[in-house]
Amino acid sequence: MGAAPGPEGAGSLRKDSKVAVAKAQAVGAGRRQVTMKGLYFQQSSTNEEITFVFQERENLPATEDYYVKLQVKACALSQINTKLLAEMKMEKDFFPVGREVAGIVLDGILPLDSEDPGLCEVVRVHEHYLVHKPEKVTWPEAAGTIRDGVRAYTALHYLSHLSPGKSVLIMDGASALGTIAIQLAHHRGARVISTACSLEDKQYLERLRPSLARVIDLSNGKAHVAESCLEETGGLGVDIVLDAGVRLYSKDDEPAVKLQPLPHKHDIITLLGVGGHWVTTEENLQLDPPDSHCLFLKGATVAFLNDEVWNLSNVQQGKYLCILKDVMEKLSAGVFRPQLDEPIPLYEAKVSMEVVQKNQGRKKQVVQF
């Protein structure tokens, strides 16, 4: 694990012509006025439709103290949380796209308030958002793993205190995040149960090594998550749950957009063991008094997974850099084996980002320069 580099480290970072992983911003070419294309998104006045557009960008201003310029080699595509941007008062006419980048000199994740898109040939980034990329790791692997690695670490290490021997339920284990979370849980010595949303996902999860304790197939509507988990744990319930969203209401009252194979919140509460941890990605989770009382009787906790918190306070910077470094080390060591789609060129990024924003892709999409 590493700590935030100080002023002395900054010089060495600028001189290092090798590689690293970062959330970055683009670099100009010497003294010439050079324009480069970057991908941005524009939201409609109704806040419903998002349009992705390429725009020309002039070369970046001169590098300031503790900033470096990064030639981008790969940038991963992830959904943009427009609701969070609105709540943080960070709405703009055009907002940059692409924050998980890998390149020369460095590697990491662009901060939430970055004004430059990672989907550009060169970016400028503060050294506190950078970490070195091991030589064995490819550009697409670095960019495609960094964010899901941070999310998995946040959920399992910081929010639920994963330790050897714990039982863990990871919903939608064949997703990009689910895959990395399963691998991290296995590496920590946990017993892992996962759910599959399709036959293809089920077959993928059954091929994973080390093997999962159980794969629960939700695609046919017959399997019951709570019953399966209680059966697998001898009625004790699981220690940690990482969901991929939950149903808050009955199927008749649930919005159509959520009519995918998601467990009801009551199922999650039922399958939690005594002292269990429920890490949820459902930002609008509603718990009724009976739900809270059941959690109270179990001494269980509910935590919300928002990986952006690491960039919202400088107090967390040291921990954040440690996570970034550890993700890269585990990727280099083969602990993490991400689900990546075939890399695409920059000119295909607009169409691919539209698919990603609608949450229609399964594998992680990476743009390679």
Side-chain angles (χ1 to χ4, degrees):
M1 306 287 241
E8 295 181 2
S12 63
L13 291 179
R14 295 191 187 97
K15 296 172 184 176
D16 188 354
S17 62
K18 298 189 179 174
V19 299
V21 184
K23 287 182 180 177
Q25 296 179 323
V27 170
R31 299 176 183 174
R32 295 178 294 116
Q33 282 293 111
V34 178
T35 59
M36 297 171 289
K37 280 188 176 181
L39 187 64
Y40 295 78
F41 83 81
Q42 184 177 26
Q43 199 160 8
S44 68
S45 57
T46 60
N47 290 330
E48 293 179 358
E49 284 192 32
I50 289 182
T51 304
F52 294 96
V53 295
F54 280 108
Q55 286 194 326
E56 296 287 344
R57 305 177 57 253
E58 293 186 354
N59 62 314
L60 297 176
T63 303
E64 305 169 8
D65 287 345
Y66 311 127
Y67 278 82
V68 295
K69 290 184 176 181
L70 171 69
Q71 181 184 0
V72 178
K73 292 293 186 180
C75 177
L77 305 182
S78 294
Q79 267 189 312
I80 298 167
N81 191 335
T82 55
K83 185 181 294 185
L84 177 63
L85 294 176
E87 291 172 350
M88 296 292 295
K89 310 297 183 186
M90 297 175 64
E91 294 173 296
K92 305 175 183 177
D93 291 338
F94 294 93
F95 201 89
V97 175
R99 297 173 51 221
E100 303 131 75
V101 301
I104 303 172
V105 179
L106 303 164
D107 166 16
I109 305 177
L110 289 174
L112 187 61
D113 59 355
S114 170
E115 295 183 359
D116 297 324
L119 285 169
C120 192
E121 294 177 3
V122 187
V123 297
R124 187 187 67 141
V125 61
H126 196 286
E127 63 177 10
H128 287 175
Y129 297 104
L130 304 173
V131 63
H132 285 282
K133 179 185 79 65
E135 289 187 17
K136 290 172 61 177
V137 176
T138 67
W139 301 114
E141 287 174 340
T145 308
I146 192 71
R147 183 171 188 180
D148 290 319
V150 169
R151 298 185 76 199
Y153 259 86
T154 304
L156 299 179
H157 183 68
Y158 287 98
L159 297 180
S160 56
H161 313 292
L162 177 66
S163 59
K166 296 283 188 180
S167 56
V168 182
L169 170 64
I170 296 174
M171 306 295 296
D172 195 12
S175 65
L177 170 61
T179 297
I180 296 298
I182 288 172
Q183 292 163 357
L184 178 59
H186 272 148
H187 181 70
R188 294 287 177 87
R191 188 158 161 250
V192 185
I193 303 168
S194 189
T195 62
C197 300
S198 67
L199 178 60
E200 182 181 2
D201 287 352
K202 180 175 181 288
Q203 293 171 341
Y204 167 77
L205 292 172
E206 290 175 339
R207 290 194 301 268
L208 289 179
R209 295 294 180 270
S211 300
L212 295 168
R214 179 176 293 205
V215 176
I216 305 170
D217 185 4
L218 301 180
S219 62
N220 54 21
K222 296 179 181 179
H224 194 281
V225 176
E227 288 180 2
S228 299
C229 288
L230 290 173
E231 180 182 319
E232 185 64 37
T233 57
L236 297 176
V238 301
D239 299 305
I240 298 170
V241 177
L242 172 57
D243 72 32
V246 294
R247 285 191 295 113
L248 303 178
Y249 316 102
S250 65
K251 289 186 177 179
D252 294 335
D253 298 328
E254 196 75 33
V257 70
K258 277 198 172 183
L259 290 182
Q260 47 187 330
L262 292 177
H264 195 280
K265 61 180 178 180
H266 294 151
D267 295 331
I268 302 296
I269 295 172
T270 300
L271 63 84
L272 265 181
V274 173
H277 302 279
W278 174 11
V279 181
T280 182
T281 58
E282 181 56 63
E283 59 187 49
N284 296 315
L285 180 67
Q286 299 176 32
L287 295 178
D288 301 319
D291 301 330
S292 298
H293 184 65
C294 186
L295 290 169
F296 167 77
L297 292 176
K298 293 185 176 188
T301 63
V302 179
F304 292 87
L305 178 57
N306 176 12
D307 53 297
E308 299 296 353
V309 296
W310 297 110
N311 288 323
L312 300 180
S313 172
N314 291 333
V315 175
Q316 306 291 340
Q317 194 64 48
K319 291 180 181 178
Y320 180 59
L321 284 172
C322 284
I323 294 174
L324 294 180
K325 183 178 180 182
D326 210 34
V327 169
M328 286 298 105
E329 289 176 350
K330 283 181 170 47
L331 185 58
S332 178
V335 174
F336 288 158
R337 302 175 302 280
Q339 270 227 85
L340 301 181
D341 215 334
E342 286 296 320
I344 60 171
L346 179 60
Y347 66 82
E348 294 183 11
K350 179 178 178 294
V351 174
S352 294
M353 192 60 209
E354 291 170 351
V355 174
V356 170
Q357 189 64 23
K358 294 175 183 176
N359 200 26
Q360 294 177 342
R362 294 298 288 163
K363 297 181 179 180
K364 195 74 172 184
Q365 186 66 72
V366 178
V367 175
Q368 187 163 21
F369 290 81

